[in-house]
Amino acid sequence: MSQKNETTILILALVITIGLLVTGFWVFNRVINPQKTQPLPPFTGRLEKRISLGNKILVNQDRNPNKEAGVTAFAKGDFSTAISQLESSLRKKRNDPEAWIYFNNAKATQNNPLKIGVSVPIGGNLNIAKEILRGVAQAQDETNNSGGINGMPLQVEIANDDNDPSIVKKIADKWVKDTKILAVVGHNTSDASLAGAPIYQQGNLVMISPTSNAKKLSGIGSYIFRTIPSISSEAEVLARYALKTNRLSKLAICADSQAKASQSFKEEFIAKFDNEGGEISQIACDFSEPNFNASAVISQAVSDGAEGLVLAASVDKIKRSLDISISNKGRLSLMGNSTLYTIDTLKFGQADANEMVLAAPWHPQAIPDNPFPKNARNYWGGDVNWRSALAYDATQAIIAGLNQDNTRQGLRKALSSSQFSANGATGKIQFLPSGDRNASSILVKIQPGQSSGTGYDFAPLPQ
């Protein structure tokens, strides 16, 4: 082989080697170290596919021939057929909140209805989306069957936002421009609500979130409200339990650095626990860490002398919280925020989550004389959780406000009044000047039971 050919081959080999190294470095940063990647691009899809008054099915899991025929008839303006078909669908599956809402929307069409929106994460967390929809659907049905709002029935337009801030912004902009929409129930995560809040505020459209409790939402605008108690209340009741009742002097805490509500809870809990004389372990535990290792977290916490572990979960990191409970093997007392109060915690946590204590806004047994839990069981065939209750409250607050004034500005004025109150699933609904709910959190414990169908239930703890 000539020297010229050898040189050419060496140069070619060098180029290939450099190329492989560059590619490997790029893959390492993209796959092994994904927190350095760029954020997801803004939503550019068709918004019409995500919003429905009754003309399309958004919850594909709950499709059946009658429901499909009902929405087809609704889209054509054949409301009598839509009512008949949706009623048949509900006889087959009574606990379908989407069908309930479309059924009532179809019945309301000819009677000068008042319209609101509800935005939920159907493609982000279907269970949570349906929990919120159940509360809205029940409030709508009860109101329309009792004469409506000053004689006018309530219609509810559903949007699927996937808990994606870029989609939320598009939905908020659409609803602000639709003058028939008088208020919005939503959104689910604090990140989603924080994305939509400035748009609603600028457009003079009331938004009431049943589930977003990040501190940054407090006082963000005069049109922004929430029915969930403050995150400070949630952190305080859990910190007091850990230190005073459970006698735990040192705790570790896991949170999601990419979720504002999770970070808010962590900050509030540390402040409350420290103020009462407790100590927080300095071990690092971030649910968003790409190499998150539940077993290592438990070992490090035990080695650092922690007696308990607080799980400040975010909606999309619930599984990682349950991985912690599986790895724990009873070594640490487990506690968590209200995000973990979901059927998935019972279904997948099972014995590993037994005895875990959570802060929560509500429990069916929390207010013995309140008719909501019994009524909810009649609608849905079982107990509902706090998201349904607080979505019900958000809708009831809107209904009470619209009874006073059915304009956007009038509704905001009614809700902001110190004299305003409405009766809801969680008792009296009143708002502070910041838009926050004037209420406090409670505690629940996971224990064996038959109500949920999983073998485990959430049970209220004495306050």
Side-chain angles (χ1 to χ4, degrees), residues 162-206:
D162 285 355
N163 276 335
D164 183 328
S166 67
I167 299 175
V168 167
K169 290 177 182 178
K170 297 286 187 181
I171 292 169
D173 185 62
K174 181 183 185 303
W175 277 343
V176 162
K177 292 174 180 175
D178 181 354
T179 56
K180 291 183 179 180
I181 296 287
L182 298 174
V184 173
V185 176
H187 298 257
N188 170 221
T189 66
S190 293
D191 297 81
S193 291
L194 285 165
I199 301 171
Y200 294 123
Q201 179 65 28
Q202 187 174 0
N204 298 332
L205 180 59
V206 163

Side-chain angles (χ1 to χ4, degrees), residues 152-413:
M152 291 174 284
L154 183 68
Q155 280 191 326
V156 179
E157 187 166 80
I158 303 174
N160 169 25
D161 62 33
D162 285 355
N163 276 335
D164 183 328
S166 67
I167 299 175
V168 167
K169 290 177 182 178
K170 297 286 187 181
I171 292 169
D173 185 62
K174 181 183 185 303
W175 277 343
V176 162
K177 292 174 180 175
D178 181 354
T179 56
K180 291 183 179 180
I181 296 287
L182 298 174
V184 173
V185 176
H187 298 257
N188 170 221
T189 66
S190 293
D191 297 81
S193 291
L194 285 165
I199 301 171
Y200 294 123
Q201 179 65 28
Q202 187 174 0
N204 298 332
L205 180 59
V206 163
M207 177 196 95
I208 304 184
S209 173
T211 57
S212 301
N213 59 359
K215 289 189 294 182
K216 286 187 177 181
L217 269 176
S218 182
I220 198 170
S222 59
Y223 281 80
I224 309 304
F225 302 84
R226 50 184 166 185
T227 49
I228 185 172
S230 72
I231 207 159
S232 176
S233 166
E234 188 173 310
E236 182 175 13
V237 71
L238 196 64
R240 191 187 310 123
Y241 166 81
L243 201 59
K244 305 295 185 181
T245 305
N246 214 18
R247 307 289 184 182
L248 304 176
S249 59
K250 186 172 184 177
L251 300 175
I253 186 166
C254 292
D256 184 348
S257 63
Q258 302 304 307
K260 292 181 176 63
S262 175
Q263 284 299 299
S264 290
F265 180 86
K266 177 182 177 180
E267 292 164 7
E268 288 290 317
F269 183 88
I270 290 174
K272 304 290 184 187
F273 196 66
D274 181 70
N275 189 55
E276 294 291 333
E279 181 184 356
I280 297 293
S281 170
Q282 296 304 303
I283 70 157
C285 181
D286 183 357
F287 289 129
S288 284
E289 174 62 42
N291 297 318
F292 179 82
N293 186 318
S295 180
V297 168
I298 296 296
S299 296
Q300 291 165 14
V302 170
S303 296
D304 196 43
E307 302 158 292
L309 180 61
V310 177
L311 305 173
S314 58
V315 169
D316 59 348
K317 296 295 189 298
I318 289 175
K319 184 181 181 303
R320 288 193 168 183
S321 296
L322 297 180
D323 289 341
I324 288 277
S325 68
I326 293 169
S327 299
N328 184 45
K329 308 297 183 188
R331 286 176 285 178
L332 298 170
S333 292
L334 296 181
M335 290 156 283
N337 61 353
S338 58
T339 301
L340 286 170
Y341 191 149
T342 177
I343 191 68
D344 283 347
T345 301
L346 301 178
K347 187 187 299 182
F348 301 114
Q350 292 290 298
D352 295 310
N354 189 34
E355 298 294 309
M356 186 189 297
V357 172
L358 307 178
W362 177 83
H363 184 276
Q365 299 170 23
I367 309 175
D369 58 346
N370 192 299
F372 172 78
K374 181 179 178 181
N375 293 339
R377 282 191 292 272
N378 290 335
Y379 272 92
W380 313 113
D383 287 336
V384 296
N385 79 3
W386 68 265
R387 294 178 186 85
S388 298
L390 295 184
Y392 178 89
D393 282 6
T395 312
Q396 289 290 14
I398 291 169
I399 290 165
L402 291 175
N403 265 309
Q404 296 184 31
D405 191 319
N406 62 13
T407 66
R408 287 182 175 184
Q409 291 81 1
L411 174 60
R412 191 275 308 165
K413 185 177 179 181

Side-chain angles (χ1 to χ4, degrees), residues 104-125:
N104 275 299
N105 287 350
K107 290 199 296 182
T109 302
Q110 304 301 321
N111 296 308
N112 192 28
L114 299 176
K115 188 161 72 169
I116 67 171
V118 56
S119 190
V120 291
I122 294 170
N125 190 310

